[in-house]
């Protein structure tokens, strides 16, 4: 395993060369990764909105946005500016404090979850030992914001949407956690970096998707439900609930819900990439690449190339999953609320438990292949 590209150490060494103290250098470094995450998340949302419209149009044999910028790429910015300048309305009988806090509680945990997403061995903000379960814990805060928004709106449609969101999240978080637990069992670690490193032995053939195909399907279904993507968008089903918990919102508060939803979709796709598709790993092992270049594995040139390729591979895998999520929106009809709960409690939960037990048995029987 190579140490990989370490931007923080390079930045600190650079400032040390200019005579800057270690304390000040660390202080100057702190805002950079946070700013990078915010910029990456917002850019990811803009790309997602554009892809959603273009892919949806292609599926329906339409053109989609084309006038705002080349191929309509500036249309998401136009939508954002429109929402930014729209009047912020709070219903007369709504609870103003909870009404305002709701969208914030939806967005903030999603952005914080980006702390544990690795794009390389050292290309992440925080390599905490319990990274993957920190994401699950943060994602469980989001339904509180949705329920708070629905309740505070003083609207029966909003309240029903908030209740649906809470029920949906509880139903699908348990099988999602069980499928993650199977990965953790094979990797012997809760760290996202360790999980990726455990898949780096034989290129594409060591990815967890081959050892956990059932877990991958369960995780992907649960992720779609957590992101409220079709066919699981019952909390905001427009034919039934006007717009669900978003009904009374306008302006930037309304935009925060969509911002959180799209950031969560990109984040979830990135985590699927990390847990099941080898993360920053690419089909050709690093040793082969170093041999082709005639360099050692630890050579700076090899580290820079593999670091850049790692970021590209992680994002590429994630957006491939985003593409499938958008296609599903125009392929599968929306389920009913009873079907949604039945799928979570009566099917996914037992299958996830059986998958966990089978993984434990395989780990004992074949420790070399299943991380004994």
């Amino acid at each position: 395993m190579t140490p990989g590209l370490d931007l923080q150490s390079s930045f600190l060494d650079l400032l040390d060369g200019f005579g800057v103290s270690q304390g000040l250098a660390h202080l100057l470094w702190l805002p950079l990764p946070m700013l990078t995450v915010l910029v990456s998340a917002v850019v990811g949302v803009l790309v997602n909105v554009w892809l959603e419209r273009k892919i949806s149009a292609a599926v329906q044999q339409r053109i989609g946005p084309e006038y705002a910028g080349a191929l309509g790429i500036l249309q998401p910015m136009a939508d954002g500016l429109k929402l930014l300048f729209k009047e912020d309305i709070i219903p007369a009988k709504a609870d103003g404090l909870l009404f305002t806090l709701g969208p914030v509680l939806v967005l903030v945990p999603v952005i914080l979850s980006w702390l544990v997403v690795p794009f390389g061995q050292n290309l992440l903000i925080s390599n905490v030992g319990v990274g993957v379960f920190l994401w699950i814990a943060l994602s469980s805060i989001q339904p509180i914001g949705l329920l708070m928004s629905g309740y505070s709106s003083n609207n029966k449609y909003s309240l029903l949407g908030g209740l649906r969101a809470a029920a949906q999240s509880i139903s699908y978080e348990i099988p999602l956690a069980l499928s993650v637990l199977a990965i953790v069992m094979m990797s012997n670690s809760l760290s996202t970096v360790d999980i990726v490193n455990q898949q780096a032995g034989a290129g594409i053939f060591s990815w967890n998707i081959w050892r956990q195909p059932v877990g991958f399907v369960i995780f992907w279904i649960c992720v779609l439900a957590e992101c409220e993507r079709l066919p699981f968008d019952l909390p905001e089903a427009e034919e039934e609930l006007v717009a669900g918990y978003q009904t009374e919102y306008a302006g930037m508060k309304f935009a925060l819900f969509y911002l959180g939803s799209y950031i969560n979709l990109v984040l979830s796709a990135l985590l699927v990439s990390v847990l099941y598709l080898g993360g920053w790993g690419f089909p050709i092992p690093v040793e082969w690449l170093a041999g082709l270049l005639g360099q050692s594995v630890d050579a700076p040139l090899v580290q820079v190339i593999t670091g850049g390729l790692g970021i590209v591979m992680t994002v590429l895998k994630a957006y491939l999953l985003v593409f499938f999520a958008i296609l599903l929106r125009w392929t599968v009809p929306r389920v009913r609320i009873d079907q949604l709960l039945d799928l979570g409690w009566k099917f996914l939960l037992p299958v996830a438990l059986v998958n966990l037990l089978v993984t434990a048995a395989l780990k004992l029987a074949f420790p070399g292949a299943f991380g004994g």
Side-chain angles (χ1 to χ4, degrees), residues 167-178 217-218 221-223 225-226 232 234 335-353:
Q168 182 168 318
S169 178
I170 293 169
S171 301
Y172 284 84
E173 270 185 10
I174 300 173
L176 182 143
L178 290 174
V217 173
I218 293 171
I221 292 173
C222 292
V223 156
E226 290 282 322
F232 306 112
L234 288 164
V335 297
R336 299 194 311 266
I337 186 67
D338 60 312
Q339 293 172 330
L340 175 112
L341 296 176
D342 283 348
L343 178 64
W345 291 105
K346 295 182 179 179
F347 182 75
L348 291 182
L349 180 57
V351 172
L353 280 170

Side-chain angles (χ1 to χ4, degrees), residues 6-345:
D6 192 342
L7 294 179
Q8 181 177 359
S9 297
S10 303
F11 181 81
L12 295 179
D13 291 342
L14 177 66
L15 291 184
D16 186 53
F18 287 104
V20 179
S21 66
Q22 284 289 322
L24 182 58
H26 277 285
L27 194 63
L28 291 173
W29 167 258
L30 280 176
L32 293 180
M34 299 176 188
L35 184 63
T36 303
V37 162
L38 284 173
V39 171
S40 301
V42 172
V43 171
V45 169
L46 296 177
V47 173
N48 261 26
V49 172
W50 182 80
L51 283 176
E52 181 102 52
R53 292 187 167 189
K54 278 297 186 181
I55 295 170
S56 303
V59 170
Q60 297 179 322
Q61 296 183 336
R62 295 185 289 107
I63 296 174
E66 58 174 343
Y67 296 111
L71 299 175
I73 57 174
L74 297 181
Q75 188 62 49
M77 292 186 180
D79 295 337
L81 287 173
K82 178 188 73 173
L83 289 169
L84 180 64
F85 290 108
K86 285 190 74 172
E87 182 181 1
D88 182 23
I89 299 171
I90 299 179
K93 296 186 178 181
D95 187 316
L97 178 61
L98 297 183
F99 191 82
T100 304
L101 281 178
V104 176
L105 273 182
V106 170
L107 182 63
V108 171
V110 178
I111 294 177
L112 288 177
S113 298
W114 281 68
L115 296 173
V116 299
V117 178
F119 293 90
Q121 180 69 27
N122 296 293
L123 295 177
L124 78 165
I125 294 181
S126 179
N127 184 14
V128 292
V130 291
V132 69
F133 277 127
L134 176 63
W135 165 63
I136 293 175
L138 288 170
S139 67
S140 65
I141 299 174
Q142 192 178 22
I144 299 173
L146 300 178
L147 188 58
M148 187 184 293
S149 302
Y151 170 77
S152 63
S153 296
N154 193 32
N155 180 305
K156 61 182 179 181
Y157 296 113
S158 300
L159 179 59
L160 283 172
L163 290 172
R164 281 185 175 187
Q168 182 168 318
S169 178
I170 293 169
S171 301
Y172 284 84
E173 270 185 10
I174 300 173
L176 182 143
L178 290 174
S179 61
V180 170
L181 191 56
I183 295 291
V184 169
M185 187 184 296
M186 292 194 308
S187 305
N188 300 311
S189 174
L190 295 169
S191 167
T192 49
V193 173
D194 291 343
I195 290 172
V196 175
N197 285 330
Q198 182 258 343
Q199 303 174 68
I204 190 172
F205 298 106
S206 59
W207 291 355
N208 282 332
I209 190 172
W210 309 119
R211 290 174 289 184
Q212 283 289 309
V214 176
F216 170 75
V217 173
I218 293 171
F219 189 89
W220 182 238
I221 292 173
C222 292
V223 156
L224 290 176
E226 290 282 322
C227 296
E228 296 169 14
R229 298 287 305 180
L230 269 160
F232 306 112
D233 67 333
L234 288 164
E236 49 187 280
E238 62 273 10
E239 293 90 345
E240 305 167 25
L241 302 179
V242 187
Y245 53 81
Q246 306 174 28
T247 300
E248 299 294 344
Y249 283 88
M252 277 309 294
K253 289 193 182 77
F254 180 81
L256 288 180
F257 284 118
Y258 273 92
L259 196 62
S261 174
Y262 279 109
I263 291 177
N264 199 15
L265 178 60
V266 178
L267 170 70
S268 301
L270 285 168
L271 285 165
V272 174
S273 168
V274 166
L275 295 176
Y276 293 96
L277 302 177
W280 66 80
F282 42 97
I284 303 174
V286 178
E287 291 77 13
W288 295 6
L289 181 63
L292 289 173
L293 295 173
Q295 302 276 338
S296 68
V297 176
D298 297 324
L301 176 62
V302 175
Q303 292 299 318
V304 170
I305 292 175
T306 53
L309 283 174
I311 295 172
V312 170
M313 289 304 298
T314 307
V315 173
L316 192 63
K317 293 169 187 174
Y319 271 95
L320 179 63
L321 293 164
V322 168
F323 173 74
F324 284 124
I326 295 172
L327 277 186
L328 274 174
R329 176 176 182 176
W330 303 100
T331 308
V332 184
R334 178 186 293 129
V335 297
R336 299 194 311 266
I337 186 67
D338 60 312
Q339 293 172 330
L340 175 112
L341 296 176
D342 283 348
L343 178 64
W345 291 105

